[in-house]
Amino acid sequence: MRRLSLLILSLAAAAGLHAADLTLWYDHPGVNGLDGGLPIGNGRMGGLILGNAAAEDIKLTEDSLWTGDENPSGDYNTMGSFQMLGDLRIDTQLRGPVADYRRQLDIAQSLARVQFTAGGGHFVREYFCSHPAGVMVIRLTADQELNGAIHFEDAHRAVSTASAAGIDCAGALPNGLKYETRVVAIPQGGVVAAQGGGLAFSHCRGLVLLVAAGTDYAMNYASHYRGADPHAALEQALQAAASMSFDAIERRHIQDYQALFNRVSLNLGQSTPAQLAAPTDKRKIAAVDTFDPGMEALLYQYGRYLLISCSRPGGLPANLQGLWNDTNNPEWHSDYHTNINIEMNYWPAETANLAECHLPLFDLVRSQLPAWRIATDASPELKTPSGAMTTRGWAVRTSHNIFGGMGWRWDKTADAWYCQHFWEHYAFSGDKDFLRTVAYPVMKEVTQYWEDHLKTLPDGRLVVPNAWSPEHGPTEDGVSYSQEIVWDLFTNYVQAAAALGVDPGYAAKILAMREKLVTPKIGRWGQLQEWMEDIDSPNDHHRHTSHLFGVFPGRQFSPVTTPAMAAAAKKSLDARGPTGDVREWSYAWRTALYARLYDGEDAHFMFRQLFSARNTCPNLFGLHPPMQIDGDFGITAAVAEMLVQSQAGEIDLLPALPRDWATGSVSGLRARGGFVIGLAWKDGKLLNATFRSTGGTNCLVRYGAQTERIALKPGEEKAWGFGNGVAR
């Protein structure tokens, strides 16, 4: 087994896997936060590094700094929004013009760095946000004395005070949420002193800044989503960090981060020296038309970096902008959009071996349920087909905050889409304790809601009434999007009950209801219909492909199990096309859809559109416009689907390998059933595969027309070899 793992690693090295391919770098500062700032984060606190030489400005965020409340009206305008925390400004006294400038983000270590020369001196700034320490750390060093000032400008006009202990700024939002930001400066030589509301430093050989922030938010409806004042926790974190050396904090940070990031490696080939030498903002534009394997692997790994940085256990899940924000009026409130966006944020969590990063989503959903049940029970829009008010389960609007509040229209089957994530976490891990105590109660409650709310047609078939195909078309019965999501819910619920050995009678009832659900038809031009009536236009290039949920992220249709429906789905997908109303997240979804339909070339074409100036910012954030982050996560999930699939009860290897990825390797991808997969291929042919069980016992493996059942003991690893390579 060790010999095969070494073979995969040697193939990666031979194909030219360079550290430079895991670094974003620029020869100029960032122009503004979300467009050009380099993101760092520890799951709760984030920063955008602009890197101005004379006047650094770091945009700070804290994941629970939100306006709003329970918002019983459902008015989107009063729901509240994610807020910016403030600006940390570092002004330095430079002599002479700046030269030899470089700003970079090393996602292999989660370290940002700015370096330049000025006035004959060499200056270096290092930045990271430590999860174990709970603080942001910044170090300034130079080969000449450092002089300057530090200020924190609160985004809500709270007043900063300064003393020998550092800067402190505490305030409260209009909803009563308390928050605090603290900055501690530790000089190496020289002097730091309070100056106005900030700090002045002089004659320093080096300077370390520790930044901590928090709120009194608690993920608990019973306490009105309020907990302890943040001051004591910030003080404790800062004291602990200040007692350690910079190098010790950094080592611990890298170790913690790499325990997650290093689980997956991806090599797609050798980039050219010219490609490697280009700054990221220029290199990514060229990668739209010219294959750049290192840049493509970087984009895949960047999604993993961002998820680790903005979604850790104990914190809130990634919102529409992840963790990063540079305004108090972000587009779409930087909220949780339930009709694709929040779900797409978490598509890669399981396949990309970051299952722990999935947990904040489950924690938030469960914390919101008491408020959502009240709103659901009170809504006349959510009556049952008999006209009765809701008495079981809950629904969710298209947008929500962190206080139980929702806004905009009801996305009626978003409750079931959320349930898919609960199920998938179990499907990949086999963790029956999670299934029993966390996932199953949520899934059963939503299943009961849909047992009550499905409408029976005259012919006995069941439909979701008055539904919508986001964000497209009429509101009517039986739209494909909602039908497929309920089919997915019922399928997963029945399997969950069987896995736990509970509720067999009720599971049988739900299975019978699933068989009565209206399923999409194949329309007049061979397409998968978006609505019950055949009204789809082949000239419709809408950004959403909601009616293809059953292909991905669902599992209702596939080329193997339902070839006619898969062919119809491809007709629809081809017609939607790569132009028109397509956005960055649309390309990510289309990439995954083509992968599920075994079309590697079209999947790869859609993948490369993410590099265009229209779809990503210079820092590779998704550009809707404006910035939103779901495309970064969605494309990471889509790449995994091109290499390994497991939704159909078997592990399918290299199902959508494009010609450009002819030789490469991957290790650490997860498959359903409790398996971790490693692959090496050459000239488009699979050479070897490794299968490691994390709890699973056997799996059916498919490579093209070949299948083989592999039995493993928990913790065991086995290889499947192909000699000189076998074509799919």
Side-chain angles (χ1 to χ4, degrees), residues 55-309:
E56 173 65 280
D57 180 5
I58 303 170
K59 308 293 184 181
L60 298 181
T61 50
E62 201 278 348
D63 67 353
S64 61
L65 192 68
W66 277 70
T67 57
D69 52 28
E70 195 168 334
N71 199 42
S73 71
D75 184 345
Y76 191 48
N77 296 318
T78 59
M79 190 187 71
S81 62
F82 181 47
Q83 300 290 285
M84 181 184 175
L85 181 64
D87 289 272
L88 179 63
R89 304 186 190 279
I90 307 170
D91 297 316
T92 54
Q93 299 170 12
L94 300 178
R95 298 190 301 271
V98 172
D100 304 318
Y101 182 92
R102 180 183 173 100
R103 181 172 55 110
Q104 68 177 47
L105 175 63
D106 176 359
I107 67 169
Q109 299 187 89
S110 186
L111 299 174
R113 181 184 177 98
V114 173
Q115 60 186 43
F116 54 89
T117 59
H122 182 65
F123 297 81
V124 177
R125 297 176 189 158
E126 300 158 277
Y127 318 74
F128 61 89
C129 216
S130 169
H131 177 69
V135 297
M136 181 183 294
V137 185
I138 305 159
R139 180 168 71 172
L140 286 66
T141 56
D143 55 10
Q144 59 181 235
E145 287 187 346
L146 291 166
N147 300 282
I150 303 157
H151 296 277
F152 174 71
E153 183 178 324
D154 182 76
H156 297 270
R157 299 185 179 180
V159 176
S160 293
T161 60
S163 67
I167 299 172
D168 184 57
C169 184
L173 298 182
N175 62 2
L177 186 79
K178 296 179 181 178
Y179 67 93
E180 185 173 356
T181 308
R182 297 195 60 191
V183 182
V184 172
I186 305 171
Q188 181 183 3
V191 176
V192 173
Q195 186 180 77
L199 301 172
F201 58 94
S202 58
H203 309 297
C204 297
R205 298 190 304 276
L207 182 69
V208 173
L209 302 180
L210 305 175
V211 187
T215 77
D216 67 348
Y217 176 79
M219 211 179 289
N220 182 2
Y221 177 79
S223 66
H224 304 287
Y225 300 103
R226 297 296 188 271
D229 187 286
H231 182 81
L234 301 186
E235 178 71 16
Q236 182 179 7
L238 287 168
Q239 286 186 0
S243 70
M244 301 172 66
S245 69
F246 174 88
D247 290 341
I249 300 174
E250 184 183 57
R251 281 195 302 271
R252 189 178 175 208
H253 160 70
I254 294 173
Q255 182 181 23
D256 169 79
Y257 170 76
Q258 290 187 336
L260 296 170
F261 185 80
N262 285 357
R263 292 173 181 173
V264 176
S265 65
L266 174 65
N267 165 47
L268 299 175
Q270 170 72 65
S271 295
T272 68
Q275 288 170 327
L276 292 170
T280 301
D281 52 338
K282 296 180 177 64
R283 185 180 175 188
K284 84 175 191 73
I285 298 300
V288 178
D289 299 313
T290 302
F291 176 50
D292 186 340
M295 192 68 194
E296 296 194 2
L298 171 65
L299 187 61
Y300 167 79
Q301 292 285 22
Y302 191 52
R304 298 183 67 245
Y305 166 80
L306 292 172
L307 193 59
I308 296 169
S309 301

Side-chain angles (χ1 to χ4, degrees), residues 520-558:
K521 298 176 183 177
I522 298 175
R524 66 189 186 283
W525 48 277
Q527 88 283 11
L528 189 72
Q529 289 182 196
E530 190 163 0
W531 298 276
M532 290 178 67
E533 299 300 319
D534 191 356
I535 60 174
D536 304 273
S537 168
N539 298 315
D540 183 349
H541 306 302
H542 196 271
R543 62 191 177 276
H544 280 263
T545 48
S546 302
H547 59 307
L548 303 186
F549 176 96
V551 176
F552 181 89
R555 53 182 169 136
Q556 190 172 358
F557 309 126
S558 81

